[in-house]
mmCIF file with all atom_site columns, all heavy atoms in Angstrom:
data_model
loop_
_atom_site.group_PDB
_atom_site.id
_atom_site.type_symbol
_atom_site.label_atom_id
_atom_site.label_alt_id
_atom_site.label_comp_id
_atom_site.label_asym_id
_atom_site.label_entity_id
_atom_site.label_seq_id
_atom_site.pdbx_PDB_ins_code
_atom_site.Cartn_x
_atom_site.Cartn_y
_atom_site.Cartn_z
_atom_site.occupancy
_atom_site.B_iso_or_equiv
_atom_site.pdbx_formal_charge
_atom_site.auth_seq_id
_atom_site.auth_comp_id
_atom_site.auth_asym_id
_atom_site.auth_atom_id
_atom_site.pdbx_PDB_model_num
ATOM 1   N N   . LEU I 1 1  ? -57.658 -5.878  -50.270 1.00 84.00 ? 1  LEU I N   1
ATOM 2   C CA  . LEU I 1 1  ? -58.809 -6.226  -49.438 1.00 84.00 ? 1  LEU I CA  1
ATOM 3   C C   . LEU I 1 1  ? -59.992 -6.669  -50.296 1.00 84.00 ? 1  LEU I C   1
ATOM 4   O O   . LEU I 1 1  ? -60.673 -7.651  -49.975 1.00 84.00 ? 1  LEU I O   1
ATOM 5   C CB  . LEU I 1 1  ? -59.202 -5.036  -48.566 1.00 84.00 ? 1  LEU I CB  1
ATOM 6   C CG  . LEU I 1 1  ? -58.172 -4.622  -47.525 1.00 84.00 ? 1  LEU I CG  1
ATOM 7   C CD1 . LEU I 1 1  ? -58.620 -3.354  -46.805 1.00 84.00 ? 1  LEU I CD1 1
ATOM 8   C CD2 . LEU I 1 1  ? -57.934 -5.745  -46.530 1.00 84.00 ? 1  LEU I CD2 1
ATOM 9   N N   . GLN I 1 2  ? -60.227 -5.956  -51.403 1.00 86.00 ? 2  GLN I N   1
ATOM 10  C CA  . GLN I 1 2  ? -61.323 -6.334  -52.294 1.00 86.00 ? 2  GLN I CA  1
ATOM 11  C C   . GLN I 1 2  ? -61.076 -7.697  -52.924 1.00 86.00 ? 2  GLN I C   1
ATOM 12  O O   . GLN I 1 2  ? -61.999 -8.503  -53.073 1.00 86.00 ? 2  GLN I O   1
ATOM 13  C CB  . GLN I 1 2  ? -61.514 -5.278  -53.378 1.00 86.00 ? 2  GLN I CB  1
ATOM 14  C CG  . GLN I 1 2  ? -62.103 -3.996  -52.866 1.00 86.00 ? 2  GLN I CG  1
ATOM 15  C CD  . GLN I 1 2  ? -62.362 -3.005  -53.985 1.00 86.00 ? 2  GLN I CD  1
ATOM 16  O OE1 . GLN I 1 2  ? -62.487 -3.378  -55.152 1.00 86.00 ? 2  GLN I OE1 1
ATOM 17  N NE2 . GLN I 1 2  ? -62.442 -1.742  -53.635 1.00 86.00 ? 2  GLN I NE2 1
ATOM 18  N N   . ARG I 1 3  ? -59.828 -7.969  -53.296 1.00 83.00 ? 3  ARG I N   1
ATOM 19  C CA  . ARG I 1 3  ? -59.500 -9.253  -53.918 1.00 83.00 ? 3  ARG I CA  1
ATOM 20  C C   . ARG I 1 3  ? -59.724 -10.396 -52.933 1.00 83.00 ? 3  ARG I C   1
ATOM 21  O O   . ARG I 1 3  ? -60.289 -11.433 -53.281 1.00 83.00 ? 3  ARG I O   1
ATOM 22  C CB  . ARG I 1 3  ? -58.063 -9.258  -54.421 1.00 83.00 ? 3  ARG I CB  1
ATOM 23  C CG  . ARG I 1 3  ? -57.722 -10.524 -55.192 1.00 83.00 ? 3  ARG I CG  1
ATOM 24  C CD  . ARG I 1 3  ? -56.410 -10.387 -55.935 1.00 83.00 ? 3  ARG I CD  1
ATOM 25  N NE  . ARG I 1 3  ? -56.174 -11.527 -56.775 1.00 83.00 ? 3  ARG I NE  1
ATOM 26  C CZ  . ARG I 1 3  ? -56.620 -11.677 -58.011 1.00 83.00 ? 3  ARG I CZ  1
ATOM 27  N NH1 . ARG I 1 3  ? -57.325 -10.722 -58.563 1.00 83.00 ? 3  ARG I NH1 1
ATOM 28  N NH2 . ARG I 1 3  ? -56.363 -12.763 -58.708 1.00 83.00 ? 3  ARG I NH2 1
ATOM 29  N N   . MET I 1 4  ? -59.297 -10.206 -51.688 1.00 86.00 ? 4  MET I N   1
ATOM 30  C CA  . MET I 1 4  ? -59.472 -11.261 -50.695 1.00 86.00 ? 4  MET I CA  1
ATOM 31  C C   . MET I 1 4  ? -60.958 -11.491 -50.413 1.00 86.00 ? 4  MET I C   1
ATOM 32  O O   . MET I 1 4  ? -61.417 -12.637 -50.399 1.00 86.00 ? 4  MET I O   1
ATOM 33  C CB  . MET I 1 4  ? -58.724 -10.914 -49.410 1.00 86.00 ? 4  MET I CB  1
ATOM 34  C CG  . MET I 1 4  ? -57.223 -11.069 -49.537 1.00 86.00 ? 4  MET I CG  1
ATOM 35  S SD  . MET I 1 4  ? -56.344 -10.892 -47.978 1.00 86.00 ? 4  MET I SD  1
ATOM 36  C CE  . MET I 1 4  ? -56.257 -9.116  -47.809 1.00 86.00 ? 4  MET I CE  1
ATOM 37  N N   . ALA I 1 5  ? -61.717 -10.421 -50.208 1.00 88.00 ? 5  ALA I N   1
ATOM 38  C CA  . ALA I 1 5  ? -63.140 -10.566 -49.899 1.00 88.00 ? 5  ALA I CA  1
ATOM 39  C C   . ALA I 1 5  ? -63.898 -11.199 -51.067 1.00 88.00 ? 5  ALA I C   1
ATOM 40  O O   . ALA I 1 5  ? -64.703 -12.123 -50.869 1.00 88.00 ? 5  ALA I O   1
ATOM 41  C CB  . ALA I 1 5  ? -63.738 -9.200  -49.552 1.00 88.00 ? 5  ALA I CB  1
ATOM 42  N N   . GLY I 1 6  ? -63.652 -10.716 -52.274 1.00 90.00 ? 6  GLY I N   1
ATOM 43  C CA  . GLY I 1 6  ? -64.330 -11.266 -53.445 1.00 90.00 ? 6  GLY I CA  1
ATOM 44  C C   . GLY I 1 6  ? -63.998 -12.722 -53.686 1.00 90.00 ? 6  GLY I C   1
ATOM 45  O O   . GLY I 1 6  ? -64.864 -13.521 -54.066 1.00 90.00 ? 6  GLY I O   1
ATOM 46  N N   . THR I 1 7  ? -62.749 -13.094 -53.461 1.00 88.00 ? 7  THR I N   1
ATOM 47  C CA  . THR I 1 7  ? -62.332 -14.486 -53.657 1.00 88.00 ? 7  THR I CA  1
ATOM 48  C C   . THR I 1 7  ? -62.980 -15.402 -52.632 1.00 88.00 ? 7  THR I C   1
ATOM 49  O O   . THR I 1 7  ? -63.387 -16.519 -52.964 1.00 88.00 ? 7  THR I O   1
ATOM 50  C CB  . THR I 1 7  ? -60.796 -14.600 -53.604 1.00 88.00 ? 7  THR I CB  1
ATOM 51  O OG1 . THR I 1 7  ? -60.257 -13.808 -54.659 1.00 88.00 ? 7  THR I OG1 1
ATOM 52  C CG2 . THR I 1 7  ? -60.336 -16.037 -53.757 1.00 88.00 ? 7  THR I CG2 1
ATOM 53  N N   . ILE I 1 8  ? -63.096 -14.936 -51.406 1.00 90.00 ? 8  ILE I N   1
ATOM 54  C CA  . ILE I 1 8  ? -63.744 -15.753 -50.373 1.00 90.00 ? 8  ILE I CA  1
ATOM 55  C C   . ILE I 1 8  ? -65.206 -16.013 -50.749 1.00 90.00 ? 8  ILE I C   1
ATOM 56  O O   . ILE I 1 8  ? -65.669 -17.151 -50.720 1.00 90.00 ? 8  ILE I O   1
ATOM 57  C CB  . ILE I 1 8  ? -63.635 -15.080 -48.990 1.00 90.00 ? 8  ILE I CB  1
ATOM 58  C CG1 . ILE I 1 8  ? -62.182 -15.138 -48.508 1.00 90.00 ? 8  ILE I CG1 1
ATOM 59  C CG2 . ILE I 1 8  ? -64.572 -15.745 -47.974 1.00 90.00 ? 8  ILE I CG2 1
ATOM 60  C CD1 . ILE I 1 8  ? -61.901 -14.284 -47.287 1.00 90.00 ? 8  ILE I CD1 1
ATOM 61  N N   . VAL I 1 9  ? -65.917 -14.969 -51.139 1.00 93.00 ? 9  VAL I N   1
ATOM 62  C CA  . VAL I 1 9  ? -67.327 -15.129 -51.516 1.00 93.00 ? 9  VAL I CA  1
ATOM 63  C C   . VAL I 1 9  ? -67.457 -16.001 -52.771 1.00 93.00 ? 9  VAL I C   1
ATOM 64  O O   . VAL I 1 9  ? -68.273 -16.924 -52.812 1.00 93.00 ? 9  VAL I O   1
ATOM 65  C CB  . VAL I 1 9  ? -68.003 -13.752 -51.718 1.00 93.00 ? 9  VAL I CB  1
ATOM 66  C CG1 . VAL I 1 9  ? -69.410 -13.907 -52.276 1.00 93.00 ? 9  VAL I CG1 1
ATOM 67  C CG2 . VAL I 1 9  ? -68.024 -12.973 -50.419 1.00 93.00 ? 9  VAL I CG2 1
ATOM 68  N N   . GLY I 1 10 ? -66.638 -15.724 -53.786 1.00 93.00 ? 10 GLY I N   1
ATOM 69  C CA  . GLY I 1 10 ? -66.686 -16.509 -55.019 1.00 93.00 ? 10 GLY I CA  1
ATOM 70  C C   . GLY I 1 10 ? -66.348 -17.970 -54.795 1.00 93.00 ? 10 GLY I C   1
ATOM 71  O O   . GLY I 1 10 ? -66.962 -18.865 -55.394 1.00 93.00 ? 10 GLY I O   1
ATOM 72  N N   . SER I 1 11 ? -65.379 -18.237 -53.932 1.00 91.00 ? 11 SER I N   1
ATOM 73  C CA  . SER I 1 11 ? -65.005 -19.627 -53.629 1.00 91.00 ? 11 SER I CA  1
ATOM 74  C C   . SER I 1 11 ? -66.132 -20.350 -52.889 1.00 91.00 ? 11 SER I C   1
ATOM 75  O O   . SER I 1 11 ? -66.370 -21.539 -53.121 1.00 91.00 ? 11 SER I O   1
ATOM 76  C CB  . SER I 1 11 ? -63.727 -19.664 -52.792 1.00 91.00 ? 11 SER I CB  1
ATOM 77  O OG  . SER I 1 11 ? -62.642 -19.218 -53.560 1.00 91.00 ? 11 SER I OG  1
ATOM 78  N N   . PHE I 1 12 ? -66.817 -19.629 -52.023 1.00 92.00 ? 12 PHE I N   1
ATOM 79  C CA  . PHE I 1 12 ? -67.957 -20.232 -51.325 1.00 92.00 ? 12 PHE I CA  1
ATOM 80  C C   . PHE I 1 12 ? -69.054 -20.597 -52.331 1.00 92.00 ? 12 PHE I C   1
ATOM 81  O O   . PHE I 1 12 ? -69.665 -21.662 -52.221 1.00 92.00 ? 12 PHE I O   1
ATOM 82  C CB  . PHE I 1 12 ? -68.504 -19.286 -50.256 1.00 92.00 ? 12 PHE I CB  1
ATOM 83  C CG  . PHE I 1 12 ? -69.668 -19.864 -49.511 1.00 92.00 ? 12 PHE I CG  1
ATOM 84  C CD1 . PHE I 1 12 ? -69.466 -20.826 -48.532 1.00 92.00 ? 12 PHE I CD1 1
ATOM 85  C CD2 . PHE I 1 12 ? -70.962 -19.463 -49.797 1.00 92.00 ? 12 PHE I CD2 1
ATOM 86  C CE1 . PHE I 1 12 ? -70.546 -21.380 -47.855 1.00 92.00 ? 12 PHE I CE1 1
ATOM 87  C CE2 . PHE I 1 12 ? -72.047 -20.012 -49.132 1.00 92.00 ? 12 PHE I CE2 1
ATOM 88  C CZ  . PHE I 1 12 ? -71.840 -20.971 -48.153 1.00 92.00 ? 12 PHE I CZ  1
ATOM 89  N N   . ILE I 1 13 ? -69.286 -19.737 -53.315 1.00 94.00 ? 13 ILE I N   1
ATOM 90  C CA  . ILE I 1 13 ? -70.285 -20.025 -54.356 1.00 94.00 ? 13 ILE I CA  1
ATOM 91  C C   . ILE I 1 13 ? -69.917 -21.311 -55.094 1.00 94.00 ? 13 ILE I C   1
ATOM 92  O O   . ILE I 1 13 ? -70.766 -22.183 -55.318 1.00 94.00 ? 13 ILE I O   1
ATOM 93  C CB  . ILE I 1 13 ? -70.406 -18.837 -55.335 1.00 94.00 ? 13 ILE I CB  1
ATOM 94  C CG1 . ILE I 1 13 ? -71.055 -17.646 -54.629 1.00 94.00 ? 13 ILE I CG1 1
ATOM 95  C CG2 . ILE I 1 13 ? -71.196 -19.225 -56.580 1.00 94.00 ? 13 ILE I CG2 1
ATOM 96  C CD1 . ILE I 1 13 ? -70.976 -16.341 -55.418 1.00 94.00 ? 13 ILE I CD1 1
ATOM 97  N N   . VAL I 1 14 ? -68.640 -21.449 -55.462 1.00 93.00 ? 14 VAL I N   1
ATOM 98  C CA  . VAL I 1 14 ? -68.203 -22.655 -56.182 1.00 93.00 ? 14 VAL I CA  1
ATOM 99  C C   . VAL I 1 14 ? -68.308 -23.884 -55.293 1.00 93.00 ? 14 VAL I C   1
ATOM 100 O O   . VAL I 1 14 ? -68.752 -24.947 -55.736 1.00 93.00 ? 14 VAL I O   1
ATOM 101 C CB  . VAL I 1 14 ? -66.758 -22.495 -56.702 1.00 93.00 ? 14 VAL I CB  1
ATOM 102 C CG1 . VAL I 1 14 ? -66.213 -23.813 -57.216 1.00 93.00 ? 14 VAL I CG1 1
ATOM 103 C CG2 . VAL I 1 14 ? -66.729 -21.464 -57.797 1.00 93.00 ? 14 VAL I CG2 1
ATOM 104 N N   . TRP I 1 15 ? -67.912 -23.747 -54.045 1.00 92.00 ? 15 TRP I N   1
ATOM 105 C CA  . TRP I 1 15 ? -68.029 -24.873 -53.119 1.00 92.00 ? 15 TRP I CA  1
ATOM 106 C C   . TRP I 1 15 ? -69.481 -25.350 -53.039 1.00 92.00 ? 15 TRP I C   1
ATOM 107 O O   . TRP I 1 15 ? -69.758 -26.553 -53.117 1.00 92.00 ? 15 TRP I O   1
ATOM 108 C CB  . TRP I 1 15 ? -67.507 -24.469 -51.740 1.00 92.00 ? 15 TRP I CB  1
ATOM 109 C CG  . TRP I 1 15 ? -67.761 -25.508 -50.700 1.00 92.00 ? 15 TRP I CG  1
ATOM 110 C CD1 . TRP I 1 15 ? -67.065 -26.659 -50.496 1.00 92.00 ? 15 TRP I CD1 1
ATOM 111 C CD2 . TRP I 1 15 ? -68.825 -25.500 -49.747 1.00 92.00 ? 15 TRP I CD2 1
ATOM 112 N NE1 . TRP I 1 15 ? -67.627 -27.369 -49.459 1.00 92.00 ? 15 TRP I NE1 1
ATOM 113 C CE2 . TRP I 1 15 ? -68.705 -26.678 -48.981 1.00 92.00 ? 15 TRP I CE2 1
ATOM 114 C CE3 . TRP I 1 15 ? -69.855 -24.611 -49.465 1.00 92.00 ? 15 TRP I CE3 1
ATOM 115 C CZ2 . TRP I 1 15 ? -69.589 -26.982 -47.962 1.00 92.00 ? 15 TRP I CZ2 1
ATOM 116 C CZ3 . TRP I 1 15 ? -70.732 -24.920 -48.444 1.00 92.00 ? 15 TRP I CZ3 1
ATOM 117 C CH2 . TRP I 1 15 ? -70.590 -26.092 -47.704 1.00 92.00 ? 15 TRP I CH2 1
ATOM 118 N N   . ALA I 1 16 ? -70.420 -24.402 -52.922 1.00 93.00 ? 16 ALA I N   1
ATOM 119 C CA  . ALA I 1 16 ? -71.842 -24.755 -52.849 1.00 93.00 ? 16 ALA I CA  1
ATOM 120 C C   . ALA I 1 16 ? -72.317 -25.403 -54.152 1.00 93.00 ? 16 ALA I C   1
ATOM 121 O O   . ALA I 1 16 ? -73.100 -26.369 -54.121 1.00 93.00 ? 16 ALA I O   1
ATOM 122 C CB  . ALA I 1 16 ? -72.670 -23.520 -52.530 1.00 93.00 ? 16 ALA I CB  1
ATOM 123 N N   . MET I 1 17 ? -71.837 -24.886 -55.278 1.00 93.00 ? 17 MET I N   1
ATOM 124 C CA  . MET I 1 17 ? -72.226 -25.472 -56.568 1.00 93.00 ? 17 MET I CA  1
ATOM 125 C C   . MET I 1 17 ? -71.690 -26.885 -56.731 1.00 93.00 ? 17 MET I C   1
ATOM 126 O O   . MET I 1 17 ? -72.423 -27.796 -57.130 1.00 93.00 ? 17 MET I O   1
ATOM 127 C CB  . MET I 1 17 ? -71.724 -24.601 -57.720 1.00 93.00 ? 17 MET I CB  1
ATOM 128 C CG  . MET I 1 17 ? -72.479 -23.320 -57.912 1.00 93.00 ? 17 MET I CG  1
ATOM 129 S SD  . MET I 1 17 ? -71.801 -22.360 -59.279 1.00 93.00 ? 17 MET I SD  1
ATOM 130 C CE  . MET I 1 17 ? -72.189 -23.434 -60.659 1.00 93.00 ? 17 MET I CE  1
ATOM 131 N N   . LEU I 1 18 ? -70.406 -27.068 -56.445 1.00 91.00 ? 18 LEU I N   1
ATOM 132 C CA  . LEU I 1 18 ? -69.788 -28.382 -56.650 1.00 91.00 ? 18 LEU I CA  1
ATOM 133 C C   . LEU I 1 18 ? -70.297 -29.412 -55.654 1.00 91.00 ? 18 LEU I C   1
ATOM 134 O O   . LEU I 1 18 ? -70.265 -30.612 -55.941 1.00 91.00 ? 18 LEU I O   1
ATOM 135 C CB  . LEU I 1 18 ? -68.265 -28.265 -56.593 1.00 91.00 ? 18 LEU I CB  1
ATOM 136 C CG  . LEU I 1 18 ? -67.627 -27.472 -57.737 1.00 91.00 ? 18 LEU I CG  1
ATOM 137 C CD1 . LEU I 1 18 ? -66.112 -27.419 -57.575 1.00 91.00 ? 18 LEU I CD1 1
ATOM 138 C CD2 . LEU I 1 18 ? -68.017 -28.035 -59.096 1.00 91.00 ? 18 LEU I CD2 1
ATOM 139 N N   . ALA I 1 19 ? -70.765 -28.964 -54.510 1.00 90.00 ? 19 ALA I N   1
ATOM 140 C CA  . ALA I 1 19 ? -71.350 -29.900 -53.544 1.00 90.00 ? 19 ALA I CA  1
ATOM 141 C C   . ALA I 1 19 ? -72.619 -30.547 -54.102 1.00 90.00 ? 19 ALA I C   1
ATOM 142 O O   . ALA I 1 19 ? -72.996 -31.649 -53.681 1.00 90.00 ? 19 ALA I O   1
ATOM 143 C CB  . ALA I 1 19 ? -71.664 -29.172 -52.240 1.00 90.00 ? 19 ALA I CB  1
ATOM 144 N N   . GLN I 1 20 ? -73.248 -29.890 -55.082 1.00 92.00 ? 20 GLN I N   1
ATOM 145 C CA  . GLN I 1 20 ? -74.458 -30.432 -55.714 1.00 92.00 ? 20 GLN I CA  1
ATOM 146 C C   . GLN I 1 20 ? -74.130 -31.414 -56.847 1.00 92.00 ? 20 GLN I C   1
ATOM 147 O O   . GLN I 1 20 ? -75.034 -31.964 -57.449 1.00 92.00 ? 20 GLN I O   1
ATOM 148 C CB  . GLN I 1 20 ? -75.310 -29.283 -56.263 1.00 92.00 ? 20 GLN I CB  1
ATOM 149 C CG  . GLN I 1 20 ? -75.690 -28.243 -55.246 1.00 92.00 ? 20 GLN I CG  1
ATOM 150 C CD  . GLN I 1 20 ? -76.441 -28.822 -54.075 1.00 92.00 ? 20 GLN I CD  1
ATOM 151 O OE1 . GLN I 1 20 ? -77.369 -29.601 -54.255 1.00 92.00 ? 20 GLN I OE1 1
ATOM 152 N NE2 . GLN I 1 20 ? -76.030 -28.473 -52.870 1.00 92.00 ? 20 GLN I NE2 1
ATOM 153 N N   . GLN I 1 21 ? -72.848 -31.596 -57.140 1.00 91.00 ? 21 GLN I N   1
ATOM 154 C CA  . GLN I 1 21 ? -72.378 -32.470 -58.214 1.00 91.00 ? 21 GLN I CA  1
ATOM 155 C C   . GLN I 1 21 ? -73.104 -32.170 -59.537 1.00 91.00 ? 21 GLN I C   1
ATOM 156 O O   . GLN I 1 21 ? -73.814 -33.016 -60.084 1.00 91.00 ? 21 GLN I O   1
ATOM 157 C CB  . GLN I 1 21 ? -72.535 -33.934 -57.832 1.00 91.00 ? 21 GLN I CB  1
ATOM 158 C CG  . GLN I 1 21 ? -71.735 -34.307 -56.613 1.00 91.00 ? 21 GLN I CG  1
ATOM 159 C CD  . GLN I 1 21 ? -71.950 -35.740 -56.187 1.00 91.00 ? 21 GLN I CD  1
ATOM 160 O OE1 . GLN I 1 21 ? -72.895 -36.409 -56.592 1.00 91.00 ? 21 GLN I OE1 1
ATOM 161 N NE2 . GLN I 1 21 ? -71.055 -36.218 -55.342 1.00 91.00 ? 21 GLN I NE2 1
ATOM 162 N N   . PRO I 1 22 ? -72.885 -30.956 -60.053 1.00 93.00 ? 22 PRO I N   1
ATOM 163 C CA  . PRO I 1 22 ? -73.594 -30.557 -61.277 1.00 93.00 ? 22 PRO I CA  1
ATOM 164 C C   . PRO I 1 22 ? -73.101 -31.336 -62.500 1.00 93.00 ? 22 PRO I C   1
ATOM 165 O O   . PRO I 1 22 ? -71.979 -31.834 -62.526 1.00 93.00 ? 22 PRO I O   1
ATOM 166 C CB  . PRO I 1 22 ? -73.247 -29.074 -61.409 1.00 93.00 ? 22 PRO I CB  1
ATOM 167 C CG  . PRO I 1 22 ? -71.912 -28.952 -60.744 1.00 93.00 ? 22 PRO I CG  1
ATOM 168 C CD  . PRO I 1 22 ? -71.942 -29.937 -59.599 1.00 93.00 ? 22 PRO I CD  1
ATOM 169 N N   . SER I 1 23 ? -73.947 -31.369 -63.510 1.00 93.00 ? 23 SER I N   1
ATOM 170 C CA  . SER I 1 23 ? -73.572 -32.028 -64.765 1.00 93.00 ? 23 SER I CA  1
ATOM 171 C C   . SER I 1 23 ? -72.576 -31.142 -65.519 1.00 93.00 ? 23 SER I C   1
ATOM 172 O O   . SER I 1 23 ? -72.405 -29.959 -65.208 1.00 93.00 ? 23 SER I O   1
ATOM 173 C CB  . SER I 1 23 ? -74.812 -32.261 -65.630 1.00 93.00 ? 23 SER I CB  1
ATOM 174 O OG  . SER I 1 23 ? -75.308 -31.009 -66.112 1.00 93.00 ? 23 SER I OG  1
ATOM 175 N N   . PHE I 1 24 ? -71.952 -31.735 -66.520 1.00 94.00 ? 24 PHE I N   1
ATOM 176 C CA  . PHE I 1 24 ? -71.004 -31.001 -67.358 1.00 94.00 ? 24 PHE I CA  1
ATOM 177 C C   . PHE I 1 24 ? -71.646 -29.747 -67.936 1.00 94.00 ? 24 PHE I C   1
ATOM 178 O O   . PHE I 1 24 ? -71.071 -28.664 -67.896 1.00 94.00 ? 24 PHE I O   1
ATOM 179 C CB  . PHE I 1 24 ? -70.491 -31.920 -68.478 1.00 94.00 ? 24 PHE I CB  1
ATOM 180 C CG  . PHE I 1 24 ? -69.662 -31.205 -69.504 1.00 94.00 ? 24 PHE I CG  1
ATOM 181 C CD1 . PHE I 1 24 ? -68.322 -30.952 -69.269 1.00 94.00 ? 24 PHE I CD1 1
ATOM 182 C CD2 . PHE I 1 24 ? -70.231 -30.772 -70.704 1.00 94.00 ? 24 PHE I CD2 1
ATOM 183 C CE1 . PHE I 1 24 ? -67.552 -30.285 -70.216 1.00 94.00 ? 24 PHE I CE1 1
ATOM 184 C CE2 . PHE I 1 24 ? -69.467 -30.108 -71.658 1.00 94.00 ? 24 PHE I CE2 1
ATOM 185 C CZ  . PHE I 1 24 ? -68.121 -29.860 -71.406 1.00 94.00 ? 24 PHE I CZ  1
ATOM 186 N N   . TRP I 1 25 ? -72.850 -29.888 -68.501 1.00 96.00 ? 25 TRP I N   1
ATOM 187 C CA  . TRP I 1 25 ? -73.496 -28.761 -69.171 1.00 96.00 ? 25 TRP I CA  1
ATOM 188 C C   . TRP I 1 25 ? -73.951 -27.691 -68.178 1.00 96.00 ? 25 TRP I C   1
ATOM 189 O O   . TRP I 1 25 ? -73.984 -26.504 -68.509 1.00 96.00 ? 25 TRP I O   1
ATOM 190 C CB  . TRP I 1 25 ? -74.650 -29.246 -70.046 1.00 96.00 ? 25 TRP I CB  1
ATOM 191 C CG  . TRP I 1 25 ? -74.104 -30.007 -71.210 1.00 96.00 ? 25 TRP I CG  1
ATOM 192 C CD1 . TRP I 1 25 ? -74.212 -31.342 -71.434 1.00 96.00 ? 25 TRP I CD1 1
ATOM 193 C CD2 . TRP I 1 25 ? -73.316 -29.481 -72.276 1.00 96.00 ? 25 TRP I CD2 1
ATOM 194 N NE1 . TRP I 1 25 ? -73.545 -31.686 -72.585 1.00 96.00 ? 25 TRP I NE1 1
ATOM 195 C CE2 . TRP I 1 25 ? -72.984 -30.555 -73.128 1.00 96.00 ? 25 TRP I CE2 1
ATOM 196 C CE3 . TRP I 1 25 ? -72.851 -28.214 -72.606 1.00 96.00 ? 25 TRP I CE3 1
ATOM 197 C CZ2 . TRP I 1 25 ? -72.220 -30.405 -74.269 1.00 96.00 ? 25 TRP I CZ2 1
ATOM 198 C CZ3 . TRP I 1 25 ? -72.087 -28.061 -73.752 1.00 96.00 ? 25 TRP I CZ3 1
ATOM 199 C CH2 . TRP I 1 25 ? -71.788 -29.134 -74.568 1.00 96.00 ? 25 TRP I CH2 1
ATOM 200 N N   . THR I 1 26 ? -74.273 -28.076 -66.959 1.00 96.00 ? 26 THR I N   1
ATOM 201 C CA  . THR I 1 26 ? -74.604 -27.093 -65.932 1.00 96.00 ? 26 THR I CA  1
ATOM 202 C C   . THR I 1 26 ? -73.372 -26.257 -65.594 1.00 96.00 ? 26 THR I C   1
ATOM 203 O O   . THR I 1 26 ? -73.455 -25.037 -65.452 1.00 96.00 ? 26 THR I O   1
ATOM 204 C CB  . THR I 1 26 ? -75.143 -27.793 -64.669 1.00 96.00 ? 26 THR I CB  1
ATOM 205 O OG1 . THR I 1 26 ? -76.298 -28.557 -65.022 1.00 96.00 ? 26 THR I OG1 1
ATOM 206 C CG2 . THR I 1 26 ? -75.492 -26.797 -63.584 1.00 96.00 ? 26 THR I CG2 1
ATOM 207 N N   . VAL I 1 27 ? -72.239 -26.921 -65.499 1.00 95.00 ? 27 VAL I N   1
ATOM 208 C CA  . VAL I 1 27 ? -70.982 -26.210 -65.224 1.00 95.00 ? 27 VAL I CA  1
ATOM 209 C C   . VAL I 1 27 ? -70.646 -25.272 -66.381 1.00 95.00 ? 27 VAL I C   1
ATOM 210 O O   . VAL I 1 27 ? -70.267 -24.117 -66.156 1.00 95.00 ? 27 VAL I O   1
ATOM 211 C CB  . VAL I 1 27 ? -69.825 -27.203 -64.949 1.00 95.00 ? 27 VAL I CB  1
ATOM 212 C CG1 . VAL I 1 27 ? -68.498 -26.468 -64.832 1.00 95.00 ? 27 VAL I CG1 1
ATOM 213 C CG2 . VAL I 1 27 ? -70.108 -28.005 -63.683 1.00 95.00 ? 27 VAL I CG2 1
ATOM 214 N N   . VAL I 1 28 ? -70.803 -25.741 -67.605 1.00 96.00 ? 28 VAL I N   1
ATOM 215 C CA  . VAL I 1 28 ? -70.523 -24.895 -68.770 1.00 96.00 ? 28 VAL I CA  1
ATOM 216 C C   . VAL I 1 28 ? -71.451 -23.680 -68.768 1.00 96.00 ? 28 VAL I C   1
ATOM 217 O O   . VAL I 1 28 ? -71.018 -22.550 -69.007 1.00 96.00 ? 28 VAL I O   1
ATOM 218 C CB  . VAL I 1 28 ? -70.649 -25.700 -70.082 1.00 96.00 ? 28 VAL I CB  1
ATOM 219 C CG1 . VAL I 1 28 ? -70.618 -24.788 -71.298 1.00 96.00 ? 28 VAL I CG1 1
ATOM 220 C CG2 . VAL I 1 28 ? -69.541 -26.743 -70.163 1.00 96.00 ? 28 VAL I CG2 1
ATOM 221 N N   . ALA I 1 29 ? -72.734 -23.889 -68.505 1.00 97.00 ? 29 ALA I N   1
ATOM 222 C CA  . ALA I 1 29 ? -73.685 -22.770 -68.456 1.00 97.00 ? 29 ALA I CA  1
ATOM 223 C C   . ALA I 1 29 ? -73.312 -21.783 -67.354 1.00 97.00 ? 29 ALA I C   1
ATOM 224 O O   . ALA I 1 29 ? -73.385 -20.557 -67.551 1.00 97.00 ? 29 ALA I O   1
ATOM 225 C CB  . ALA I 1 29 ? -75.101 -23.295 -68.244 1.00 97.00 ? 29 ALA I CB  1
#
């Protein structure tokens, strides 16, 4: 249950980040 919940939240964070089309160095940071 913790793995599923954490993955859903973490994936949403990445989706929001990638929607902003970050630069290479922003992704590395």
Side-chain angles (χ1 to χ4, degrees):
L1 295 175
Q2 289 184 22
R3 185 168 186 86
M4 286 188 279
T7 299
I8 290 169
V9 173
S11 292
F12 180 77
I13 291 169
V14 170
W15 172 78
M17 286 179 66
L18 293 180
Q20 304 303 313
Q21 299 177 344
S23 69
F24 172 82
W25 291 111
T26 302
V27 173
V28 169

